[in-house]
Amino acid sequence: MAKIINEVSRTFTEYLIIPGLTTVDCTPDKVDMITPLVRFKKGESSKINLKTPFVSAIMQSVSDDGMAIALAKEGGVSFIYGSQSIEQQADMVRRVKKHKAGFVESRANITPEQTLEDVLNLKESTGFSTIGVTEDGSPNGKFLGIITGRDYRISKDSLSKKVKDIMRPLPELAVGELGISLTEANDIIWEHKLNTLPVIDKDQNLKYFVFRKDYDNHKENHNELLDDHKRLVVGAGINTRDYEERVPALVDAGVDTVCIDSSDGFSEWQKITIQWIKEHYKGKVSVGAGNVVDKAGFLYLAEAGADFIKVGVGGGSICITREQKGIGRGQATAIIEVAAARDEYFEKTGEYIPICSDGGIVQDYHMTLALSMGADFLMMGRYFARFDESPTRKLLIGSNYVKEYWGEGSNRARNWQRYDMGGNNSLKFEEGVDSYVPYAGKLKDNLEITTGKIKSTMCSCGVLTIAQLQAEAKITLVSSTSIVEGGAHDVIVKDTKN
Ligand code: IMP
């Protein structure tokens, strides 16, 4: 007979945290959110520690090099999506590793033959107001000029004007030569009263922009996550099919950690993949695995050698796996069980394997709950998809700005490997949807608010570290009536938009 578990599996909204004693020394500015990313032995420390306990999801609509740079600057890590060619993925990794603080690759580019209307559309869809004009419209093409809001006036007649007739062309611009330092670039910016300095190579190809506003930002970035060579840390998603080609290319590009991306990770395919990586790249790259939702799945991947294990099946915002296949588990219950298994494994073997709560975070307080329940860090898709730095289009729908966000198992992403059960089965069905999420602005600004809330809750619990939160938090189940009580209720909320 099948094993029936009668305990209900639960999700984050069904729990709350009970405050502990807050001492006078326990203030948000003293909270340290450092947390291990990869396996370590008792008495040692993890080779990679996050300064902010967040990683961005292995998804086309979330994690490209732009997101990876922005997140690593704030102390987290992106896992660049694997549902693209090996070369393209390795190029993205390379761009993150080559990123020099303050030097930004141009993300909105156009050719001289396009029109002002195209400029406006590009500005709308990318959110960037400084547009690079290159011969072929690519970010590193031959640099011809620049367009910003001060170069055009919008009227009915001007929309069809050619870019070449409105741009500020290269001969009139101050530029920096590739190899210039940030301080030198900044000196030119001040000397010429510029907002943006294009940096070009000796063949006149556009390499970077240096923005005046970024200089001050950079000076503030004490959370930046850097490797031993002072380059930003970056991860990448892999699958259990082409890892023998993909992993070498990613390692060559400088990736710090890879993660097998699968909706159901309790499989021999994952064990074979982990073991191949350990055999060929031991000490060179760490490998995460998943996703699992119980002790058995965790132990299987732990013993296979996984450096971190992702938890979560069916809870993602764009996920329809539970509807399609009937597999999954409430995310809170899954984390609680796997965290207990991790602690037991640590006791027994002296090896600590960090666990990642993947998917289903809706409110900021869910993050604190997931950490208190034992997650070491959180993977999020929807949260990051809303920001300027995600790779998708920003659109105006009705009177609201939104960003596109689609699942890896949707027809749009066509990442069938993530859902592959092996063999020659070519049956493909969707496990994800294509959607919009409300646009929320810059990653940095949002992260500040979110981490501010987590730190504040940690102080309410009387703790200053994630390890203490995991050990000391008191969590309670709540009834559905208490959930209603948790929001504003029995009042007429004022419409603050008017
Ligand atoms: P979110 O943070 O709730 O949006 O969930 C993101 C997570 O959903 C990802 O990290 C994946 O684990 C998972 N995911 C991504 N694409 C799909 C899909 O198409 N179907 C099911 N799950 C998905």
Side-chain angles (χ1 to χ4, degrees):
M1 191 190 151
K3 182 175 178 186
I4 313 281
I5 299 171
N6 279 318
E7 184 208 342
V8 174
S9 80
R10 298 186 183 276
T11 191
F12 297 126
T13 306
E14 295 173 83
Y15 291 90
L16 283 175
I17 299 173
I18 299 176
L21 172 69
T22 307
T23 60
V24 288
D25 297 326
C26 194
T27 52
D29 54 311
K30 297 207 187 81
V31 170
D32 186 349
M33 294 219 287
I34 197 159
T35 190
L37 182 82
V38 294
R39 177 195 281 256
F40 60 94
K41 287 196 170 60
K42 199 172 189 163
E44 296 179 2
S45 72
S46 175
K47 259 182 100 177
I48 308 176
N49 286 293
L50 301 172
K51 295 183 190 167
T52 302
F54 300 161
V55 299
S56 69
I58 311 170
M59 297 173 72
Q60 293 174 2
S61 50
V62 180
S63 299
D64 68 348
D65 45 317
M67 175 61 74
I69 290 167
L71 184 52
K73 281 184 178 174
E74 302 304 323
V77 165
S78 284
F79 283 85
I80 289 180
Y81 65 95
S83 52
Q84 58 179 326
S85 76
I86 295 174
E87 294 70 34
Q88 282 170 331
Q89 192 187 18
D91 274 350
M92 285 191 180
V93 168
R94 212 166 269 121
R95 285 205 284 275
V96 180
K97 296 313 275 188
K98 276 199 200 147
H99 173 79
K100 293 205 316 182
F103 290 80
V104 188
E105 190 164 275
S106 173
R107 294 187 71 191
N109 304 287
I110 206 155
T111 68
E113 295 304 324
Q114 285 179 270
T115 61
L116 175 59
E117 191 169 3
D118 298 325
V119 169
L120 298 177
N121 288 337
L122 188 63
K123 189 176 162 216
E124 176 84 15
S125 64
T126 61
F128 296 114
S129 52
T130 302
I131 294 178
V133 186
T134 57
E135 205 166 68
D136 59 0
S138 73
N140 296 129
K142 188 164 183 189
F143 181 63
L144 302 175
I146 200 171
I147 296 192
T148 66
R150 59 181 243 217
D151 299 315
Y152 52 81
R153 223 171 131 183
I154 305 169
S155 67
K156 230 174 37 211
D157 307 328
S158 66
L159 288 181
S160 57
K161 276 194 175 164
K162 290 260 164 93
V163 164
K164 63 181 178 197
D165 298 323
I166 48 176
M167 69 183 188
R168 262 168 292 149
L170 176 60
E172 292 171 20
L173 292 171
V175 291
E177 274 180 37
L178 187 62
I180 189 173
S181 73
L182 187 57
T183 315
E184 287 163 343
N186 205 46
D187 287 344
I188 304 179
I189 285 176
W190 281 98
E191 196 181 314
H192 295 266
K193 297 188 169 56
L194 308 173
N195 286 323
T196 313
L197 178 74
V199 176
I200 58 176
D201 69 11
K202 56 178 183 355
D203 298 320
Q204 204 186 309
N205 295 317
L206 177 61
K207 299 312 263 184
Y208 305 107
F209 284 142
V210 178
F211 293 99
R212 179 209 289 253
K213 62 179 168 34
D214 277 359
Y215 186 70
D216 291 332
N217 280 349
H218 175 62
K219 285 195 297 192
E220 287 165 16
N221 264 339
H222 30 255
N223 256 348
E224 235 168 24
L225 206 65
L226 301 173
D227 67 14
D228 295 342
H229 305 284
K230 301 245 173 293
R231 301 173 306 178
L232 295 173
V233 172
V234 64
I238 59 167
N239 61 69
T240 55
R241 289 268 169 166
D242 65 12
Y243 56 90
E244 293 187 25
E245 289 89 48
R246 195 172 286 272
V247 173
L250 293 170
V251 172
D252 190 51
V255 80
D256 297 276
T257 181
V258 295
C259 182
I260 309 171
D261 182 30
S262 171
S263 71
D264 168 13
F266 192 178
S267 82
E268 228 172 342
W269 303 109
Q270 294 228 348
K271 181 176 176 178
I272 296 167
T273 307
I274 296 167
Q275 290 180 342
W276 185 89
I277 295 173
K278 293 286 158 193
E279 194 182 316
H280 293 84
Y281 289 97
K282 198 168 173 56
K284 291 206 178 89
V285 72
S286 47
V287 53
N291 287 10
V292 297
V293 284
D294 69 354
K295 178 177 177 176
F298 169 84
L299 285 178
Y300 184 80
L301 294 178
E303 273 150 24
D307 290 302
F308 63 88
I309 293 172
K310 280 205 295 128
V311 180
V313 173
S317 56
I318 32 49
C319 175
I320 52 169
T321 297
R322 293 184 192 169
E323 280 172 19
Q324 294 282 58
K325 287 181 68 182
I327 59 166
R329 197 173 198 192
Q331 186 65 3
T333 305
I335 292 291
I336 293 168
E337 180 172 318
V338 174
R342 180 219 34 221
D343 292 346
E344 210 179 290
Y345 189 82
F346 182 51
E347 270 299 294
K348 226 159 83 192
T349 64
E351 297 257 341
Y352 189 90
I353 304 174
I355 60 169
C356 167
S357 175
D358 178 14
I361 299 276
V362 182
Q363 307 290 347
D364 287 351
Y365 84 87
H366 291 168
M367 303 173 189
T368 325
L369 268 172
L371 295 168
S372 352
M373 288 170 177
D376 295 285
F377 59 98
L378 318 171
M379 177 171 272
M380 295 180 287
R382 190 196 62 87
Y383 179 79
F384 289 110
R386 300 172 304 145
F387 305 149
D388 282 327
E389 293 82 354
S390 78
T392 69
R393 287 186 303 167
K394 176 181 154 198
L395 304 168
L396 186 62
I397 303 229
S399 53
N400 297 314
Y401 279 105
V402 294
K403 293 267 297 187
E404 295 177 300
Y405 179 43
W406 60 91
E408 285 297 292
S410 66
N411 265 329
R412 180 159 184 188
R414 302 191 159 271
N415 180 4
W416 306 126
Q417 279 144 339
R418 186 171 196 273
Y419 305 91
D420 188 5
M421 300 308 289
N424 293 321
N425 184 358
S426 61
L427 178 67
K428 314 240 187 298
F429 52 92
E430 283 190 293
E431 289 194 40
V433 297
D434 190 356
S435 69
Y436 300 120
V437 285
Y439 166 67
K442 283 197 183 324
L443 177 142
K444 187 181 171 65
D445 299 341
N446 283 275
L447 224 56
E448 242 170 58
I449 295 170
T450 299
T451 53
K453 286 189 205 168
I454 299 177
K455 287 178 181 174
S456 171
T457 310
M458 286 171 71
C459 290
S460 285
C461 296
V463 301
L464 291 174
T465 67
I466 289 175
Q468 286 170 352
L469 182 71
Q470 291 168 338
E472 292 171 31
K474 282 184 283 183
I475 302 166
T476 179
L477 264 173
V478 288
S479 68
S480 40
T481 351
S482 318
I483 295 172
V484 176
E485 190 186 61
H489 61 93
D490 301 306
V491 292
I492 301 163
V493 179
K494 286 185 190 168
D495 184 354
T496 47
K497 277 190 198 139
N498 299 320

